[in-house]
């Protein structure tokens, strides 16, 4: 269970999130939609522990104060962020990176670290399911990967790290329809009663493939409307304009859960 | 001695005893060289080429040409170096003098000559006369080297001869206050191929002085790869020059890995004198404490259709200082030149300093030249990405420092050399041993 | 290749339209430099003793100095005793009280140069100070500016009317002994412009100075001082021309800018001194020291230069970023054709916290021209959070020209973030072909490519002058400059 209460975030004095409230119960998939610049990516990054933001408010997750934890501890406790722009790390092989990450998480959970052999077996199996060739293990992390390959690499990491809360930040951006389907299949396979997901997207297209339990609309730093899947379809028809309009009329926001 | 006069006196006392002293051309060149050194003195930062590095400190040090030290302290270090390395060809020098007992030249193909300089001066002086070098060349430390160097390696390959395994030259220097003056030659005739590795290993914390010159001549379509791994003691002074001349279609690569010495200066240059030549200058340096490493590099595109690539990276820690100059010169008429240069430095601590001068000097319009230079810190986005995957911050930082270095190492073609270079940088950076498993 | 090169070269052989001479009687001092000459200059201008003393000090320092040799330029040694250090158009008593009293011959000169001084024909919204050889002959819009408290006048007048301001700021950015030519200027400077914009005032119009060398054998040594007080803003432009002559003439100016807290100074130059003929005979030696200091927090100094003239250009408009969060910028286009030589660039000295600088340099070399970018970015040990971005590109036209890039990057703080990129290329056959295949003439194609190359700099120029700059490059840039 993730509970966000009155979250305010700004960067260099510029307000980005302005009193955001959100709850995501275990096992549910929630979509967050909103126009560009509404604060979607900032929310994802703040939840994952990126530094450099001025943050106030409360975020409780799994019974702990999420905001008090450094980024790596959040990851080890099972929070996973699939980056909108996965970072290239030239000089570090994907294999080394994935194994370091998997073992860091396993150590934290008190599980036995995977030796090279076990790790390779697992990673190769997962790579097959997301349709990545083994060659990617020996290339530098994300370096020279196409947009689709980078996103698959994110889903691969998610499968390996078995998170409790996965946040997918615009995972559909820059993907053609085939790549989108493969990525969505990867995500759907990971849906389970123990795992919550937040799917951040600008377009409703992704939600045809990853069907959410709830849909929230973020506008100017706040959730302005929540609903079920129908809300996403309505947004597609009417755009974001009408909600912004409503927000202007009713500055405290409506429809928060 | 290290005051200029001290060296002149040493020359007077020792000149007659140097190998090759009886060769008139050499005696003459040495005499002119010591005169030139005496006239120029140690370079200071009043000279444009030495703007960020002064050797004034050196003039205050006292060095002696050490008595020949045959106690084989070097054996242990050597064994370590050779561990896991290919059998190949190993020449060991102690305090600048060839140590045949520790060396293992191995089996060479016909047409290849691998000898000490002293040996070659005795055996084939006429070959050396052609390549030995001129008193007027290079900076003043190179003149001092010409005047006083008595040993080093002489490698010569006849037309079309290829030596597969690298030739390792191991220079074990530095009894305290000791000096080594070394002069090496790599002469590859048309179509010949060779890889030469120079290792410089210091002992303990010895305040020693190394002055080394390596001259490379690559004939038509020859391929010469040179790798230098400088791991002298943190108190050592290390002055080095590497001069290459490339004929038509020749390939020359220099990999300079500078991890040691209190003060190190490397003058590295290649002249592309024939069409279609290809040069790679690759370098990585790490400074910490008060250490200072300077690379002054120059590529002269004197012929059409040559390609050069240069990539230098520096990791600067403590109050260390890293200096890089890269000049690309394109002569009139050197059409279709394709030259690219990059230099990047990573500043890890307050007090560390980075100076860079990426220079282009171009007299011709039909060229494609670019350079780029950055000074920065560990990329915060990369750090966040690693941490968001569960790596702790320190480990993530070390990994990114290593990754920064690894891009330079990736350009070293020979696998065994690449892994020994990787081991050397891991031994330097914080937490490097944890990165052992890094592919 | 040869066809397009020829087309390019023909295209670059434009005429120097400002090369005429004004027949006007001049009041000159004899050739040569000595303490007596300096005293004579000072006396002619009726200067106070402290300024004469300041000049003499500079002169004594200069005597001990030697001309710099590090630049990538070549010229025969200059005989400093063979130069006239003071020349002024003969005038009645005390100089013109108003424009109506200015010699009509002078007014005609400026009109011919496209700089009408009559306010009814004035450039819209631009105040002009016109400097002819060693003196300022007219300054327009003074009253309108004075209403805002802005002082815009000749340097000589500033010494008379505002000695306290001159004394407070003169030489504080470029000290008299800064370099050989700055010391020479400090000893003999004759006139120039002075600007003071008071606290919080945003200067309502562009200010500009038009420099004209006319007299033979004469050096021009003007001195400009611009002070933007707290929160003030000013945009200033200078233009320069000279007659065509076979001998070389020396121009050694000093420009000092001081930006106090929150102030912004934008300084633009369109330099079109006579460049010499196509065989490299004659032309101006343009040896100039320009430097600005961001003295206060959040101050901002921006240099933009379009250098198309002069036989030799030697100048490095620089910014000392002393104030926290101050910003320095340098945008430059330098064109060298025939036998012109340019060694130009900038220094950005980061000293305050969170300072930022941007350097965009575009060098174009044609004919036997030689073009050098020389720059320094220095981050001092206390400059936390300094940022620099540098881009210097060279465009080569023809196989006898030269282009060089000599930057120095010195970082002394671990938070420094510096990025330097440079490229050298020529106008590509394929670019030309592509454009011509789409129906453009060779001229239009080159024009388009060159303008594209310079675009980032042109867009920094005040609108009125962007057009002039483009015309100077000999290219019509319609629609391609945003």
């Amino acid at each position: 269970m993730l509970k966000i209460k009155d979250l305010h975030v700004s960067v260099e004095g510029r307000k980005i999130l302005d009193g955001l409230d959100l709850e995501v119960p275990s096992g549910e998939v929630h979509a967050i939609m909103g126009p560009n610049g509404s604060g979607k990516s900032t929310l994802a990054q703040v939840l994952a522990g990126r530094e450099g933001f001025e943050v106030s408010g409360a975020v409780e997750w799994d019974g702990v104060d999420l905001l008090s934890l450094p980024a790596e501890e959040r990851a080890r406790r099972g929070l996973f962020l699939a980056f909108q722009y996965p970072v290239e790390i030239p000089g570090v092989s994907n294999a080394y990176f994935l194994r370091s990450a998997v073992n860091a998480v396993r150590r934290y959970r008190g599980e036995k670290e995977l030796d090279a052999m076990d790790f390779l077996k697992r990673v190769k199996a997962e790579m097959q399911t997301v349709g990545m060739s083994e060659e990617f293990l020996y290339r530098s992390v994300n370096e020279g990967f196409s947009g689709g390959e980078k996103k698959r690499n994110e889903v691969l990491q998610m499968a390996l790290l078995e998170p409790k809360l996965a946040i997918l930040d615009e995972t559909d951006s820059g993907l053609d329809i085939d790549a989108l389907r493969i990525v969505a299949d990867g995500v759907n396979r990971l849906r389970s009663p123990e795992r919550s997901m937040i799917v951040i997207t600008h377009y409703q297209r992704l939600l045809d493939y990853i069907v959410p339990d709830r849909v929230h609309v973020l506008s100017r730093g706040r959730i302005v409307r929540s609903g079920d899947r129908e809300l996403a379809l309505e947004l597609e028809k009417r755009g974001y304009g009408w909600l912004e309009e409503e927000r202007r009329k009713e500055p405290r926001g409506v429809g928060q859960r | 001695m290290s005051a200029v006069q001290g060296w002149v006196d040493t020359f007077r006392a020792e000149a007659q005893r140097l190998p090759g002293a009886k060769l008139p051309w050499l005696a003459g060149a040495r005499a002119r060289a010591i005169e030139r050194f005496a006239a120029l003195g140690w370079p200071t930062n009043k000279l444009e080429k030495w703007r960020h590095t002064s050797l004034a400190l050196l003039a205050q040090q006292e060095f002696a040409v050490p008595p020949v030290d045959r106690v084989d302290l070097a054996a242990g270090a050597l064994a370590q170096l050779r561990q896991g390395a290919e059998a190949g060809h190993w020449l060991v020098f102690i305090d600048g003098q060839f140590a045949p007992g520790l060396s293992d030249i191995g089996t060479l193909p016909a047409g290849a000559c691998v000898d000490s300089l002293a040996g070659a001066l005795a055996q084939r002086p006429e070959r050396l006369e052609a390549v030995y070098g001129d008193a007027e060349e290079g900076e003043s430390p190179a003149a001092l080297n010409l005047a006083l160097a008595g040993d080093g390696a002489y490698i010569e390959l006849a037309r079309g001869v290829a030596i597969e395994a690298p030739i390792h030259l191991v220079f074990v220097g530095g009894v305290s206050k000791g000096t080594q003056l070394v002069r090496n030659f790599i002469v590859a005739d048309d179509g010949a191929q060779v890889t030469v590795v120079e290792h410089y290993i210091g002992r303990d914390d010895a305040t020693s002085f190394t002055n080394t010159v390596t001259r490379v001549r690559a004939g038509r379509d020859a391929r010469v790869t040179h790798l230098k791994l400088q791991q002298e003691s943190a108190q050592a002074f290390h002055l080095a020059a590497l001069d290459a001349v490339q004929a038509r279609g020749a390939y020359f690569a220099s990999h300079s890995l500078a991890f040691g010495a209190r003060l190190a200066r490397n003058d590295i240059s290649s002249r592309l004198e024939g069409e279609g030549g290809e040069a790679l200058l690759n370098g990585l340096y790490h400074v910490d404490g008060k250490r200072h490493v300077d690379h002054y590099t120059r590529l002269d595109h004197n012929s059409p259709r040559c390609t050069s690539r240069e990539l230098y990276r520096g990791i600067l820690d403590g109050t260390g200082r890293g200096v890089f100059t890269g000049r690309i010169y394109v002569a009139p008429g050197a059409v279709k030149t394709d030259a690219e240069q990059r230099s990047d430095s990573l500043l890890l601590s307050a007090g560390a300093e980075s100076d860079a001068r990426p220079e282009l000097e171009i007299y011709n319009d039909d060229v494609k030249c670019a350079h780029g230079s950055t000074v920065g810190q560990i990329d915060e986005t990369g750090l966040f990405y690693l941490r968001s995957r569960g790596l702790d911050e320190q480990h993530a930082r070390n990994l990114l420092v290593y990754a920064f270095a690894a891009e330079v190492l990736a350009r070293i073609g020979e696998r065994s050399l690449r892994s020994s270079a990787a081991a050397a940088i891991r031994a330097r950076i914080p937490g490097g041993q944890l990165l052992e498993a890094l592919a | 290749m040869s066809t397009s090169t020829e087309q390019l070269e023909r295209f670059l052989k434009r005429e120097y339209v400002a090369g005429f001479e004004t027949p006007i009687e001049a009041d000159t001092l004899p050739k040569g430099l000595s303490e007596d000459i300096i005293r004579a200059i000072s006396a002619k201008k009726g200067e106070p003793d402290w300024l004469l003393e300041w000049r003499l000090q500079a002169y004594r320092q200069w005597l001990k100095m030697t001309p710099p040799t590090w630049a990538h330029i070549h010229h025969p040694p200059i005989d400093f005793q063979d130069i006239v250090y003071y020349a002024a158009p003969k005038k009645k008593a005390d100089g013109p009280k108003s424009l109506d009293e200015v010699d009509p011959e002078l007014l005609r000169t400026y009109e011919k140069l496209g700089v009408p001084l009559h306010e009814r024909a004035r450039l819209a919204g631009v105040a002009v100070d016109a400097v002819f050889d060693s003196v300022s002959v007219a300054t327009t819009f003074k009253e309108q500016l004075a209403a805002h408290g802005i002082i815009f006048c000749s340097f000589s007048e500033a010494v008379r009317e505002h000695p306290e301001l001159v004394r407070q700021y003169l030489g504080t950015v470029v000290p008299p002994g800064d370099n050989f030519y700055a010391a020479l200027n400090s000893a003999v400077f004759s006139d120039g412009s002075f600007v003071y914009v008071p606290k919080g005032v945003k200067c309502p119009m562009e200010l500009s100075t038009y420099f004209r060398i006319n007299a033979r054998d004469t050096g021009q040594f003007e001195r400009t001082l611009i002070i933007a007080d707290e929160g003030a803003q000013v945009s200033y432009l200078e233009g320069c021309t000279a007659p065509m002559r076979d001998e070389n003439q020396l121009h050694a100016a000093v420009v000092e800018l001081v930006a106090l807290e929150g102030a912004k100074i934008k300084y633009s130059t369109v330099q079109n001194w006579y460049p010499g003929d196509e065989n490299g005979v004659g032309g101006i030696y343009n040896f100039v020291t320009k430097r600005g200091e961001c003295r206060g927090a959040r101050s901002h100094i921006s240099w933009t230069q379009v250098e198309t003239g002069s036989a030799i250009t030697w100048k490095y408009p620089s910014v000392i970023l002393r104030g926290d969060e101050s910003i320095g910028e340098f945008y430059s286009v330098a064109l060298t054709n025939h036998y012109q030589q340019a060694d130009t660039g900038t220094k950005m000295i980061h000293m305050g916290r969170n300072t930022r600088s941007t350097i965009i340099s575009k060098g174009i070399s044609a004919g036997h021209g030689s073009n050098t970018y020389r720059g320094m970015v220095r981050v001092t040990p206390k400059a936390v959070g300094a940022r620099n971005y540098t881009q210097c590109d060279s465009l080569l036209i023809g196989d006898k020209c030269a282009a060089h890039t000599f930057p120095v990057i010195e970082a002394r703080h671990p938070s420094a973030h510096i990025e330097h990129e440079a490229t050298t290329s020529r106008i590509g056959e394929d670019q030309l072909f592509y454009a011509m295949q789409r129906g453009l003439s060779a001229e239009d194609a080159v024009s388009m490519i060159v303008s594209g190359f310079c675009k980032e700099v042109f867009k920094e120029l005040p609108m009125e002058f962007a057009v002039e700059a483009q015309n100077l490059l000999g290219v019509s840039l319609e629609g391609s400059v945003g």
Side-chain angles (χ1 to χ4, degrees), chain C residues 37-38 47 70 77 136-138 170 174 182 204 230 247 284 323 339 363 387 415 452 473 478 480:
Chain C
I37 289 284
I38 293 166
E47 284 175 359
W70 42 261
S136 166
V137 292
L170 177 68
V174 179
E230 292 172 17
E247 83 265 18
I284 302 293
Y339 286 85
R387 296 281 177 273
S415 62
L473 278 183
E478 272 182 271
S480 63

Side-chain angles (χ1 to χ4, degrees), chain A residues 29-68:
Chain A
V29 175
H30 287 211
I32 295 182
M33 303 184 68
N36 290 329
S38 57
K40 303 189 299 288
S41 282
T42 300
L43 173 64
Q45 302 216 338
V46 165
L47 292 179
R50 171 134 213 188
E51 285 157 19
F53 296 104
E54 297 120 52
V55 180
S56 68
V59 180
E60 189 194 314
W61 174 56
D62 223 12
V64 296
D65 171 11
L66 188 70
L67 296 177
S68 70

Side-chain angles (χ1 to χ4, degrees), chain B residues 400-413:
Chain B
L400 290 173
V401 171
Y402 179 79
F404 177 79
E407 278 191 83
V408 172
L409 303 183
R411 296 196 175 197
I412 301 173

